[in-house]
């Protein structure tokens, strides 16, 4: 009965469109009252959920992404990518994917990627006679790399939910699958471009190339600072995030100088707004997860999934189907916090390394970001492209196929996720 009340009230509140963080805490309190648990214990769990040193990296990563986003880094990365591959047929679509790869390494957010790069590239692609649904599909599918390629604050959220998995290992574990996803999308965009006879990219004047390369590399050096500090052991993830944010500040306001210093007020407002949502979500998810563990829901789910088939591969497939289904109806951050304590024990039972499972989880949920009916990135891309959700979803069909293939490769070939972490001693 307690499980039915917890999950039933959660589902009911979601159907009533109550914000997810309030849904989590209200369903926890309702269940706590039924179980005669002192409400203060639930609130104490909320506090302990955000009382983690590793979570201090999140505000710095968000701040660095906001600074670079507002400071014109998106346009510079588009130009940088255009120098590298823009001359190929369908080059503008491939530039879109490559720019998302670069930008994902700075912002760590698929939504920020779509908003900043998409607002430039989608109109540009439409102007160059690319189909609007194709332009939107390329933009939002490539934006999914942003949550895999380090630094990603979603990896930090997973680390917390999984009980302290190494953030450095997760960053390195997500790099290979993120680049594999980007490569597969670039191949797909090229094949479609050739079949539809999309135009080649514009030729960039040779005298402009050094400036474009320099400005692009300055922005990308943010990632080098963050990852270099973590991998060398010189900085913790939190210290690297802080130094990365400081570097982004210097580059934006003293090198690029595209926005006035007073604009920092707007950047801080956006950062605090995002941070407040993320931290409140982590806090409420902590109390909800505590009740799930108290009611032994992870053990019940584990026994049920393993009982369906003795074959580990079938169990993995069932986990993937569950995550893809949940990703279609819920946003990423709450799902990481809810699904991890339930499904991680199952994954470990069938031989998953926690880092491998975390990467697969993030990739599954990134697909959910571009899938109807609740895909936030799909909504933003459709709005920028001025097309319906239905048309955008239809244009996404070949891209869904490519993303699912990459997901299955990552799930069933652990080395894709674990090679780099093992190489660097994690």
């Amino acid at each position: 009965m307690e499980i039915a009340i917890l999950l039933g009230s959660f589902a009911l509140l979601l159907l009533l469109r109550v914000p997810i963080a309030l849904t989590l805490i209200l369903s926890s309190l309702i269940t706590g009252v039924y179980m005669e648990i002192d409400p203060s214990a639930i609130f104490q769990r909320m506090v302990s959920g955000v009382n983690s040193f590793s979570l201090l990296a999140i505000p710095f990563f968000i701040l660095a992404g906001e600074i670079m986003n507002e400071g014109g880094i998106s346009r510079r990365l588009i130009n940088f990518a255009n120098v590298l591959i823009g001359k190929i047929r369908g080059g503008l679509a491939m530039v879109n994917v490559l720019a998302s790869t670069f930008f994902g390494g700075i912002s760590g957010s698929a939504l920020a990627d779509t908003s900043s790069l998409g607002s430039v590239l989608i109109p540009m692609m439409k102007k160059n006679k690319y189909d609007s649904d194709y332009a939107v599909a390329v933009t939002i599918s490539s934006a999914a790399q942003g949550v895999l390629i380090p630094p990603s604050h979603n990896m930090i959220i997973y680390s917390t939910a999984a009980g302290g998995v190494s953030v450095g290992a997760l960053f390195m574990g997500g790099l290979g699958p993120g680049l594999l996803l980007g490569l597969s999308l670039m191949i797909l965009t090229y094949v479609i471009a050739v079949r539809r006879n999309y135009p080649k990219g514009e030729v960039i004047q040779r005298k402009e190339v050094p400036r474009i390369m320099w400005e692009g590399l300055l922005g990308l050096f943010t990632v080098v600072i963050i990852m270099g500090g973590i991998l060398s052991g010189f900085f913790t993830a939190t210290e690297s995030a802080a130094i990365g944010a400081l570097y982004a500040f210097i580059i934006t306001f003293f090198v690029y100088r595209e926005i006035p210093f007073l604009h920092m007020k707007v950047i801080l407002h956006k950062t605090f707004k995002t941070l407040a949502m993320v931290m409140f979500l982590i806090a409420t998810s902590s109390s909800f997860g505590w009740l799930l563990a108290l009611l032994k829901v992870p053990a019940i789910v584990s026994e049920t999934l393993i009982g369906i088939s003795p074959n580990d591969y079938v169990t993995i497939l069932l986990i993937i189907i569950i995550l893809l289904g949940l990703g279609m109806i819920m946003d990423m951050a709450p799902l990481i916090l809810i699904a991890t304590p339930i499904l991680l024990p199952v994954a470990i039972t069938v031989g998953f390394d926690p880092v491998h499972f975390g990467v697969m989880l993030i990739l599954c949920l990134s697909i959910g970001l571009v899938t109807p009916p609740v895909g936030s990135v799909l909504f933003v891309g459709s709005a920028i492209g001025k097309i319906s959700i239905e048309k955008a979803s239809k244009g996404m069909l070949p891209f869904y196929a490519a993303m699912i293939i990459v997901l299955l490769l990552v799930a069933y070939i652990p080395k894709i996720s674990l090679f780099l972490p093992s190489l660097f001693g994690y």
Side-chain angles (χ1 to χ4, degrees), residues 97-98 100-101 110 113 137-149 174-189 359 362-367 369-370 396 398-410 416:
V97 178
L98 188 59
S100 290
T101 304
D113 188 332
V138 172
T139 302
I140 64 176
S141 60
S142 60
Q145 298 174 88
V147 296
L148 284 168
I149 294 176
L175 183 58
L179 295 177
L180 176 62
L181 177 60
L183 178 62
S184 67
L185 292 175
M186 289 183 72
I187 293 171
L188 177 61
T189 57
V359 173
I362 299 292
L363 180 52
C364 279
L365 301 186
S366 72
I367 296 174
L369 293 174
V370 296
M396 274 293 297
F399 294 89
Y400 287 140
M403 296 174 85
I404 294 296
I405 290 171
V406 172
L407 171 60
L408 293 174
L409 289 173
V410 170
I416 297 176

Side-chain angles (χ1 to χ4, degrees), residues 51 235 239 363:
N51 187 22
F235 304 132
E239 291 164 346
L363 180 52

